[in-house]
């Protein structure tokens, strides 16, 4: 069973950093997709 | 079976099925993450030596495993790309690099945070830590080298060779605790022997490992779809797909 002890800050910071890295990876993937779709739409609109 | 496999190499078919599969992977990632975190924090007992600090293991170890696994995936597909020139294999290698680098950063930072209360230091230049740091440099080196070229075909060739050269680092990371006298502890989990940890700790570790695998699978497919659109942008099916979005 979890009890708060002297290691709580170490555990918290580890999980926080992991969460941040995961979020950064997802955000970069989503924004890359949005930028790509935007560029392709502009490109195909010009070709018409 | 072989026909389906051959079909999978088609960028258009891959694009169409990867959306559905990636959604499943996202669901499985969230499910295993929830159960794994619950098991790790509320069911797994306190360690008699490390207290609650050992719970960092539930992210540190899966991240370290994934850092090596992703590199092996990249190595495998790099060979296939260099030999058979299948387009999608290069997409997988390219897209996996940043994800693998992310896992390596998590392994290094959480390992460092765990090391401070346990070893009394944030970092030592022991074999396991140093070789894992070199793995991060390999990932970053691949990304830098790939982006240094305008022509992606030349970029792929050069950077895939770098991946293959770096493959030697994976067994070094894995066996470092056996070959050298290291501060990092030896393997508690092995394919051939019973784990030397409590069963509940092992279950939580496995659940988190699966969660991380499904996260990799989800992100790989999500990013690969975008990469396929870029590389196939002159094909008719891409115009149709873009117009739907």
């Amino acid at each position: 069973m979890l009890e708060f002890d002297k290691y709580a800050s170490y555990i918290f910071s580890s999980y926080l950093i992991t969460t941040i890295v995961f979020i950064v990876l997802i955000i970069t993937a989503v924004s890359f997709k949005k930028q790509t779709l935007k560029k392709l739409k502009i490109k195909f609109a010009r070709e018409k | 079976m072989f026909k389906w496999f051959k079909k999978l190499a088609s960028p258009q078919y891959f694009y169409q099925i990867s959306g559905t599969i990636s959604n499943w992977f996202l669901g499985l990632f969230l499910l295993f993450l929830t159960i794994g975190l619950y098991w790790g924090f509320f069911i797994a007992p306190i360690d008699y030596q490390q207290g609650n600090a050992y719970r960092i293991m539930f992210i540190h170890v899966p991240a370290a495993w994934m850092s090596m696994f992703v590199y092996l995936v990249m190595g495998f597909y790099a060979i296939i790309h260099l030999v058979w020139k299948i387009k999608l294999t290069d997409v997988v290698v390219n897209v996996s690099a940043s994800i693998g680098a992310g896992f390596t950063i998590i392994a290094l930072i959480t390992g460092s945070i765990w090391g401070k209360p346990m070893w009394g230091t944030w970092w030592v230049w022991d074999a396991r830590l140093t070789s894992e740091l070199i793995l991060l440099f390999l990932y970053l080196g691949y990304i830098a080298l790939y982006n240094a070229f305008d022509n992606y075909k030349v970029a792929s060739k050069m950077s895939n060779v770098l991946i293959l050269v770096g493959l030697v680092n994976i067994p070094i990371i894995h066996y470092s605790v056996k070959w050298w006298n290291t501060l990092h502890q030896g393997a508690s989990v092995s394919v051939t022997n019973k784990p030397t940890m409590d069963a509940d700790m092992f279950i939580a570790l496995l659940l988190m490992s699966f969660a991380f695998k499904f996260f990799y699978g989800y992100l790989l497919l999500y990013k690969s779809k975008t990469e396929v659109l870029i590389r196939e942008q002159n094909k008719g099916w891409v115009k149709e797909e873009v117009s739907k979005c």
Side-chain angles (χ1 to χ4, degrees):
Chain A
M1 187 61 201
L2 180 67
E3 291 163 16
F4 279 107
D5 59 21
K6 56 185 175 176
Y7 301 122
S9 61
Y10 294 103
I11 300 167
F12 176 73
S13 48
S14 298
Y15 281 79
L16 179 66
I17 283 167
T18 306
T19 309
I20 290 170
V21 171
F22 275 27
I23 288 171
V24 165
L25 286 172
I26 291 171
I27 287 174
T28 50
V30 169
S31 68
F32 181 58
K33 181 179 175 181
K34 280 188 174 158
Q35 277 175 25
T36 302
L37 286 174
K38 198 175 166 187
K39 282 183 189 167
L40 288 175
K41 278 180 181 169
I42 293 171
K43 180 189 166 182
F44 296 144
R46 281 195 190 137
E47 282 171 5
K48 276 184 189 169
Chain B
M1 174 78 184
F2 182 68
K3 264 190 187 166
W4 176 81
F5 201 69
K6 216 174 153 186
K7 211 174 164 188
L8 199 57
S10 150
Q12 183 178 1
Y13 182 71
F14 172 82
Y15 185 89
Q16 283 160 359
I17 63 166
S18 57
T20 315
I21 298 174
S22 70
N23 289 336
W24 276 99
F25 279 161
L26 178 63
L28 286 166
F29 159 64
L30 293 170
L31 178 68
F32 276 86
L33 182 73
T34 309
I35 301 173
L37 286 174
Y38 177 81
W39 208 292
F41 278 94
F42 297 103
I43 298 177
I46 298 175
D47 185 76
Y48 81 101
Q49 272 185 327
Q50 298 188 36
N52 278 310
Y54 89 94
R55 296 184 202 272
I56 297 172
M57 170 183 79
F58 299 128
I59 40 166
H60 170 72
V61 172
W65 284 349
M66 286 309 296
S67 69
M68 292 189 279
F69 174 74
V70 170
Y71 198 88
L72 286 173
V73 167
M74 287 173 70
F76 175 74
Y77 282 107
I79 292 170
I80 294 179
H81 181 71
L82 286 169
V83 173
W84 286 287
K85 313 265 186 282
I86 298 173
K87 293 184 216 179
L88 276 177
T89 53
D90 185 54
V91 169
V92 170
V93 177
N94 188 27
V95 152
S96 294
S98 54
I99 308 172
F103 283 127
T104 314
I105 288 167
I106 291 170
L108 286 167
I109 294 178
T110 55
S112 177
I113 293 172
W114 194 3
K116 181 59 182 167
M118 293 305 124
W119 300 337
T121 180
W122 296 106
W123 182 263
V124 284
W125 291 102
D126 94 344
R128 174 60 65 87
L129 277 71
T130 307
S131 50
E132 185 75 7
L133 184 64
I134 289 170
L135 182 64
L136 177 63
F137 293 156
L138 284 166
Y139 276 121
L140 298 177
Y142 170 88
I143 293 167
L145 186 59
Y146 192 93
N147 288 302
F149 296 92
D150 288 329
N151 182 340
Y152 78 83
K153 286 182 182 170
V154 174
S156 303
K157 220 180 202 175
M158 300 291 140
S159 43
N160 285 346
V161 170
L162 172 65
I163 293 296
L164 294 182
V165 167
L167 272 176
V168 72
N169 192 37
I170 301 303
I172 290 174
I173 295 173
H174 183 66
Y175 290 109
S176 57
V177 291
K178 252 190 199 172
W179 292 343
W180 294 287
N181 229 352
T182 65
L183 187 55
H184 193 286
Q185 68 171 76
S188 308
V189 177
S190 123
V191 175
T192 49
N193 298 321
K194 213 170 109 175
T196 56
M197 63 174 75
D198 178 84
D200 285 320
M201 293 180 189
F202 183 57
I203 289 168
L205 182 61
L206 277 185
L207 288 168
M208 290 300 283
S209 303
F210 279 118
F212 276 39
K213 284 227 167 21
F214 286 123
F215 180 74
Y216 168 58
Y218 163 69
L219 213 51
L220 173 71
L221 291 174
Y222 186 92
K223 291 175 74 167
S224 296
K225 282 184 72 174
T226 311
E227 195 65 32
V228 161
L229 283 180
I230 296 171
R231 292 176 189 223
E232 300 288 302
Q233 58 185 277
N234 295 323
K235 301 278 169 68
W237 70 268
V238 173
K239 288 183 188 164
E240 278 175 45
E241 290 295 338
V242 170
S243 63
K244 282 182 206 168
C245 298

